[in-house]
Amino acid sequence: MRIFISTGEVSGDLQGSLLIAALKRQAVAIGLELEILALGGEKMVEAGAILLGNTSSIGSMGILENLPYILPTIRVQRQAIASLKQNPPDLVVLIDYMSPNIGIGTYMKRHLPNVPVVYYIAPQEWAWSVSLGNTKRIVGFTDKLLAIFPQEARYFREKGAKVSWVGHPLVDRMQDAPGREAARATLGILPEQMAIALLPASRHQELKYLLPVIFQAAQIIQSKLPEVHFWIPLSLEIFRQPIEEALERYGLRATVLSGQQMEVFAAVDLAISKSGTVNLELALLNVPQVVVYRLSSLTAWIARKILKGSITFASPPNLVVMKPIVPEFLQEQATPENIIQAAMELLLNPIRRQQTLLDYEEMRRSLGEIGVCDRAAQEILQMRPNNS
């Protein structure tokens, strides 16, 4: 059976790799041989996909921010469509990556209507839909939608999609995380030492808009808490040089690591992070966090005009329960002062810290039971044409 999986950016590559591993497990169980072609990144290749195009570093948030990626994205999308045309797969799985995947899904519906399309981790239309146009398109070409959030399942079901709620794949991934003591031992952090993770970027634009404000806040925190040490797990190795240069400029005592993200998350007392999937990983490991996001002021202005205040929250932990369980500072609110105040309170006020952990427990209940990736894989393999 040939499956084509399409996703983009660092988080999509991770989710794609977890799904591929589960598809392989489930295929073995039913005696099925799989060939997986993909748009994705290195993690998906390690999991066994044949890559038609690498999309892990082409992507951004925002209108202006997207401009440099329009041509590479179109190029990759065209490559994928040419391959689908020449050699149609038995099944297509789309993971997030809204614009390119809507293009691919629309193409499938028009030209290869007999090939089932599964959308796993749909774009967050349920949280901040600008118009119903995209929702209608997604519902129109998707044969089955595998939802990771209860609200997402409800939203798409109401709009007419055939939906299964499988839960959030990070619930599975976090089972492998080390405990705090083991993680600290691996990284050489003393039991009493204060450790803070800084997570400024998984996209190029974030180095420009987020890194300065996060590092300015860290600089002042370091002056208030001289014993603190910062830890920066890289999402992409290409960010190492700009981050290390910035650390020197701001005079921060920090360790930059590749491939030990899980150990860092398990070990730290607090994280100051960009908004994204990473916020859920931290929440599932009970790490208090301060979330920050900024786009260019023009993009922010346009977004406000279009969305008219319909974005209630940006970070996934807050979206899951629709209440502010982690402090998040967006745009003008994303100042070093605000970050420092929230960070110091989470570090030094035990009551505030305890409340965060209780809220995380509530959030965890909305993410489903362990076995998410295998449930998703079973749902996908049930869609194979000769099985229906």
Side-chain angles (χ1 to χ4, degrees), residues 33-79:
E33 211 170 303
L34 287 188
E35 182 187 22
I36 295 173
L37 306 169
L39 290 182
E42 300 308 317
K43 285 193 169 70
M44 288 168 76
V45 174
E46 282 162 27
I50 299 160
L51 223 52
L52 300 177
N54 194 323
T55 55
S56 61
S57 61
I58 39 179
S60 62
M61 283 280 285
I63 300 153
L64 290 186
E65 292 77 1
N66 258 323
L67 294 177
Y69 300 105
I70 289 173
L71 287 175
T73 301
I74 290 171
R75 208 173 298 131
V76 154
Q77 194 179 352
R78 282 196 181 145
Q79 264 173 312

Side-chain angles (χ1 to χ4, degrees), residues 261-332:
Q261 196 180 39
M262 205 76 105
E263 283 77 5
V264 171
F265 290 179
V268 295
D269 301 291
L270 174 81
I272 301 173
S273 172
K274 52 154 281 180
S275 176
T277 308
V278 71
N279 307 140
L280 277 182
E281 295 183 62
L282 291 162
L284 286 167
L285 289 176
N286 278 331
V287 180
Q289 58 188 307
V290 180
V291 178
V292 189
Y293 214 78
R294 265 185 179 177
L295 296 159
S296 73
S297 40
L298 182 60
T299 296
W301 182 82
I302 295 169
R304 280 184 183 135
K305 288 281 172 222
I306 297 172
L307 294 165
K308 297 184 184 67
S310 71
I311 290 191
T312 33
F313 300 110
S315 65
N318 292 348
L319 277 170
V320 171
V321 289
M322 280 299 175
K323 66 179 202 189
I325 64 177
V326 301
E328 57 174 59
F329 301 111
L330 312 178
Q331 233 33 44
E332 301 79 14

Side-chain angles (χ1 to χ4, degrees), residues 127-281:
W128 45 59
S129 179
V130 177
S131 76
L132 281 176
N134 285 334
T135 299
K136 278 191 184 135
R137 276 191 212 92
I138 292 165
V139 171
F141 63 67
T142 300
D143 296 289
K144 185 184 277 182
L145 192 140
L146 302 179
I148 59 172
F149 297 113
Q151 301 93 309
E152 174 197 1
R154 229 176 352 252
Y155 173 85
F156 281 105
R157 205 172 275 128
E158 281 166 8
K159 300 291 182 275
K162 188 178 175 201
V163 180
S164 292
W165 176 54
V166 289
H168 202 293
L170 288 180
V171 171
D172 291 356
R173 179 169 146 78
M174 290 302 143
Q175 295 309 302
D176 304 331
R180 178 180 161 89
E181 278 161 31
R184 286 193 154 223
T186 304
L187 298 172
I189 303 173
L190 298 172
E192 69 286 353
Q193 192 178 14
M194 191 172 282
I196 297 178
L198 302 179
L199 306 162
S202 66
R203 302 180 177 104
H204 289 278
Q205 71 187 72
E206 291 161 352
L207 292 172
K208 178 179 171 186
Y209 294 120
L210 298 180
L211 184 142
V213 69
I214 288 175
F215 280 18
Q216 278 165 32
Q219 202 177 30
I220 297 165
I221 289 168
Q222 183 173 276
S223 70
K224 289 175 186 271
L225 304 168
E227 77 284 11
V228 77
H229 190 83
F230 297 106
W231 294 84
I232 305 176
L234 295 172
S235 55
L236 292 168
E237 187 57 39
I238 40 173
F239 294 158
R240 181 180 287 275
Q241 196 187 340
I243 284 176
E244 285 180 344
E245 285 168 3
L247 287 172
E248 213 157 298
R249 262 198 322 278
Y250 288 94
L252 297 178
R253 286 187 303 280
T255 304
V256 180
L257 294 165
S258 277
Q260 284 186 292
Q261 196 180 39
M262 205 76 105
E263 283 77 5
V264 171
F265 290 179
V268 295
D269 301 291
L270 174 81
I272 301 173
S273 172
K274 52 154 281 180
S275 176
T277 308
V278 71
N279 307 140
L280 277 182
E281 295 183 62

